Amino acid sequence: LTKDRYPVRRGEFAILNKEHLQFFTDLLGTQRVVTDPAECESYNIDWIRSVRGYSTCILKPKTTEEVSKILSFCNDHRIAVCPQGGNTGLVGGSVPVFDEVVLNTALMNQIYDINDTSGVLICQAGCVLENLDTALAERGLMMPLDLGAKGSCHLGGNVSTNAGGLRLLRYGNLHGSVLGLEAVKADGQIVDLLSTLKKDNTGFHLKHLFIGSEGALGIVTKIAIQCPAKPKAVNLAFLGLNSFENILKVLTQAKRDLGEVLASCEMIDESTLEVCTDNLKLKSPISNFPFYMLIETHGSNNEHDQEKLNGFLEDVMGNGLVLDGTVTNEPSKMKNIWDLRERITEGFIQDGYVFKYDVSLPIENFYSLVPEMRQRLANDEEVVRISGYGHLGDGNVHFQVSCRQFSQNILNKIEPFVYEFTSKLRGSISAEHGIGFRKPKYVHYSKSAESIVIMKQLKEMFDPNGILNPYKVIPN
Ligand code: FAD
Ligand code: 2HG
Ligand code: ZN
């Protein structure tokens, strides 16, 4: 357990023994305490198969009270705990590093209330995002967030990572839409912050500490979230362009011409689209271009929206900014187009090993990492592709370098260069995926020394024994 798989040492935590396991099975029953090594495997490996732990015990509580009793016991006995939702996280935060007990929220999947008038949904943390969206659709509502991992990720995982996704441009991030939450601290104390109010300035806004804290301060158990009306009209355009300069012009014009109906503005470069067309054999509705944009509108009147969208498209195609494009409001065609964007992560895995960077940059510099890195790695034959895509409307690029297999040589050429580059432009080295296990030592590129001290003080206050997600989020 202490062997040097990663450049970290196992903390002074207890090794799980029979008495510990007895406590867990007395509390949850044998069915909800997984110890079979084959069954434990999938909880130990992340979605992109980039990190693995060696946990021999997966706990599946159903209630807040059970979470509280587990944490109180673990805290008293110095047992390290890895909180886990759908295990779709991309920074190694959701799987143990060594033998931490995994506390998985899959069975905490109750929807308590959907209020048709206020649009507030209250549910447990383990509800799968897509299931919530389906339940809301029957009531004319939808989740304010959408991401490619929707079929697996849990709302508690989304809240804990402050997930962004494909419609943040229109509906904002979770600091805005989460109205309240309930969390359990490391010592088992239940913190009730489950407000459903839109306005509540009664002192410090404590819920925000749990939104995006990646399981380091507590386990989120319940959430109240503001859900918008499901749009009556949805239209999607897929456009081909020949330069990033033109992408910026089209973005500016989309914001002006589409105004309040603009819901998504994503971009994909040619090399990224190929992971879908070549690796996954998906079909693109238009021929090949150096860049593509997906622009989705959400509105309440299809005639009005189409008029706006068509006017905008006539303009950007007429003046040569967009070379080709297709527009649809047919659900199956929209799904085919969104697959080209949402399945990129899956497609990249087939290249081999992927060095992933999730960066916020000033919009003019959104794509600048790609040409810069192509130059730096021009003579490296190990590289399969260097590409960029992502949430253009939010200034969040997903920059990727894929190789047939992991290469220390390539890694040394990318890091810390990519972080220095981002920091110089006052960007963020993690726009939406978080810090997890992969990035604590790089936090200083985006956070001042004083902020890091406060992060450490908060960790000490919420989790003095450091049992929650050790080795992650907080820099040494
Ligand atoms: P997990 O992966 O299980 O956990 C993530 C982190 O949160 C871990 O540190 C874990 O310890 C902690 N955690 C989980 N549940 C809790 C809880 N209840 N209480 C406290 N801590 C908890 N992310 C985006 O932001 N935008 C995207 O567009 C996006 N698209 C994706 C597409 C694909 C195909 C994939 C695989 C991932 C994508 N992600 C995206 C990353 C990931 O899906 C999100 O971070 C998601 O929010 C994680 O949810 P999860 O339930 O899988 O959490
Ligand atoms: C997306 O926007 C996700 O598709 C995943 O955030 C990005 O795989 C990635 O790096
Ligand atoms: Zn993303």
Side-chain angles (χ1 to χ4, degrees):
L1 292 174
T2 52
K3 66 181 184 276
D4 281 345
R5 288 183 307 111
Y6 298 119
V8 287
R9 292 183 57 164
R10 186 181 181 280
E12 301 282 305
F13 298 110
I15 304 253
L16 220 56
N17 64 32
K18 275 193 188 142
E19 284 75 41
H20 301 145
L21 282 172
Q22 192 60 52
F23 173 84
F24 295 140
T25 43
D26 286 348
L27 180 68
L28 304 177
T30 47
Q31 294 290 316
R32 295 195 281 130
V33 179
V34 177
T35 51
D36 172 55
E39 235 187 295
C40 287
E41 188 74 356
S42 64
Y43 301 89
N44 274 303
I45 302 175
D46 65 333
W47 200 91
I48 48 167
R49 307 183 76 79
S50 71
V51 280
R52 79 153 7 263
Y54 289 92
S55 182
T56 55
C57 176
I58 318 299
L59 304 177
K60 295 190 163 181
K62 283 185 176 169
T63 64
T64 302
E65 290 65 34
E66 287 176 351
V67 173
S68 165
K69 285 181 182 151
I70 292 167
L71 289 191
S72 164
F73 181 82
C74 290
N75 194 47
D76 289 347
H77 293 82
R78 303 290 191 274
I79 298 169
V81 177
C82 172
Q84 186 179 75
N87 195 11
T88 66
L90 297 171
V91 287
S94 53
V95 294
V97 177
F98 296 100
D99 55 340
E100 301 90 283
V101 162
V102 174
L103 191 155
N104 181 290
T105 54
L107 301 181
M108 301 181 71
N109 56 5
Q110 300 291 309
I111 298 180
Y112 295 118
D113 191 38
I114 298 174
N115 185 312
D116 295 318
T117 314
S118 66
V120 177
L121 162 81
I122 307 174
C123 69
Q124 275 187 307
C127 291
V128 171
L129 180 61
E130 193 167 45
N131 296 346
L132 292 174
D133 217 27
T134 306
L136 286 164
E138 289 168 17
R139 316 279 284 261
L141 296 164
M142 72 170 187
M143 290 301 283
L145 77 163
D146 182 28
L147 38 142
K150 61 188 141 225
S152 306
C153 63
H154 297 179
L155 187 58
N158 301 146
V159 169
S160 302
T161 54
N162 186 27
L166 304 163
R167 49 171 96 126
L168 183 143
L169 175 66
R170 168 72 170 273
Y171 301 98
N173 74 23
L174 291 169
H175 285 287
S177 46
V178 171
L179 300 174
L181 53 78
E182 177 193 77
V184 182
K185 280 174 55 215
D187 63 1
Q189 192 181 70
I190 299 168
V191 189
D192 180 358
L193 301 165
L194 199 62
S195 168
T196 54
L197 305 171
K198 208 153 185 178
K199 301 185 74 174
D200 177 15
N201 277 350
T202 49
F204 299 158
H205 290 223
L206 298 176
K207 72 178 177 200
H208 293 299
L209 286 175
F210 293 99
I211 301 173
S213 62
E214 301 179 65
L217 299 182
I219 296 195
V220 175
T221 44
K222 289 179 189 156
I223 297 137
I225 186 163
Q226 178 76 60
C227 301
K230 192 173 164 60
K232 287 186 188 155
V234 178
N235 286 278
L236 178 62
F238 187 69
L239 313 175
L241 300 90
N242 66 2
S243 71
F244 183 70
E245 226 186 319
N246 287 350
I247 289 233
L248 288 183
K249 289 182 185 155
V250 174
L251 168 67
T252 309
Q253 195 161 339
K255 286 199 271 195
R256 285 181 190 158
D257 291 2
L258 302 174
E260 75 291 347
V261 297
L262 181 62
S264 267
C265 189
E266 299 282 314
M267 73 80 81
I268 310 176
D269 70 4
E270 186 174 23
S271 165
T272 302
L273 194 80
E274 282 166 9
V275 305
C276 288
T277 53
D278 294 356
N279 294 1
L280 299 179
K281 309 290 174 218
L282 302 181
K283 292 259 175 302
S284 167
I286 60 177
S287 60
N288 294 355
F289 293 95
F291 295 95
Y292 304 90
M293 286 176 86
L294 281 87
I295 295 182
E296 188 166 276
T297 60
H298 290 180
S300 56
N301 183 320
N302 203 35
E303 229 174 279
H304 289 177
D305 292 1
Q306 282 186 347
E307 197 180 314
K308 279 190 172 180
L309 195 54
N310 289 338
F312 158 74
L313 290 174
E314 270 166 33
D315 247 29
V316 291
M317 292 182 86
N319 59 22
L321 292 177
V322 169
L323 301 176
D324 194 8
T326 177
V327 192
T328 182
N329 62 1
E330 264 182 56
S332 68
K333 286 191 179 154
M334 289 198 287
K335 183 179 178 308
N336 289 345
I337 293 174
W338 272 118
D339 275 352
L340 293 169
R341 170 64 187 84
E342 293 184 17
R343 295 184 61 188
I344 292 170
T345 306
E346 176 193 343
F348 257 109
I349 295 174
Q350 293 189 18
D351 274 357
Y353 189 90
V354 191
F355 296 97
K356 276 182 181 293
Y357 301 91
D358 161 42
V359 172
S360 274
L361 287 171
I363 196 68
E364 308 74 41
N365 303 102
F366 183 88
Y367 196 66
S368 53
L369 268 168
V370 178
E372 187 77 32
M373 200 54 78
R374 281 185 182 154
Q375 224 171 26
R376 263 178 94 82
L377 299 176
N379 301 318
D380 286 284
E381 284 169 8
E382 297 161 276
V383 171
V384 176
R385 84 182 80 232
I386 299 172
S387 65
Y389 69 100
H391 314 290
L392 178 77
D394 310 313
N396 171 195
V397 66
H398 294 309
F399 164 70
Q400 327 255 328
V401 178
S402 63
C403 299
R404 288 269 161 259
Q405 57 203 21
F406 174 81
S407 156
Q408 189 64 44
N409 164 46
I410 299 296
L411 178 61
N412 294 345
K413 287 184 179 167
I414 309 175
E415 295 182 18
F417 174 82
V418 69
Y419 298 124
E420 285 164 1
F421 184 94
T422 304
S423 179
K424 272 188 203 139
L425 290 168
R426 294 192 66 80
S428 168
I429 62 133
S430 177
E432 59 173 9
H433 297 158
I435 297 300
F437 178 57
R438 292 191 161 278
K439 299 184 182 170
K441 68 177 182 205
Y442 305 116
V443 171
H444 68 275
Y445 285 104
S446 287
K447 282 256 185 313
S448 67
E450 299 74 27
S451 320
I452 292 175
V453 169
I454 296 172
M455 278 175 70
K456 288 181 178 173
Q457 288 168 338
L458 284 169
K459 174 72 177 173
E460 176 66 31
M461 193 175 110
F462 278 79
D463 179 17
N465 294 332
I467 62 159
L468 281 176
N469 246 353
Y471 327 106
K472 296 167 186 165
V473 190
I474 316 283
N476 277 325

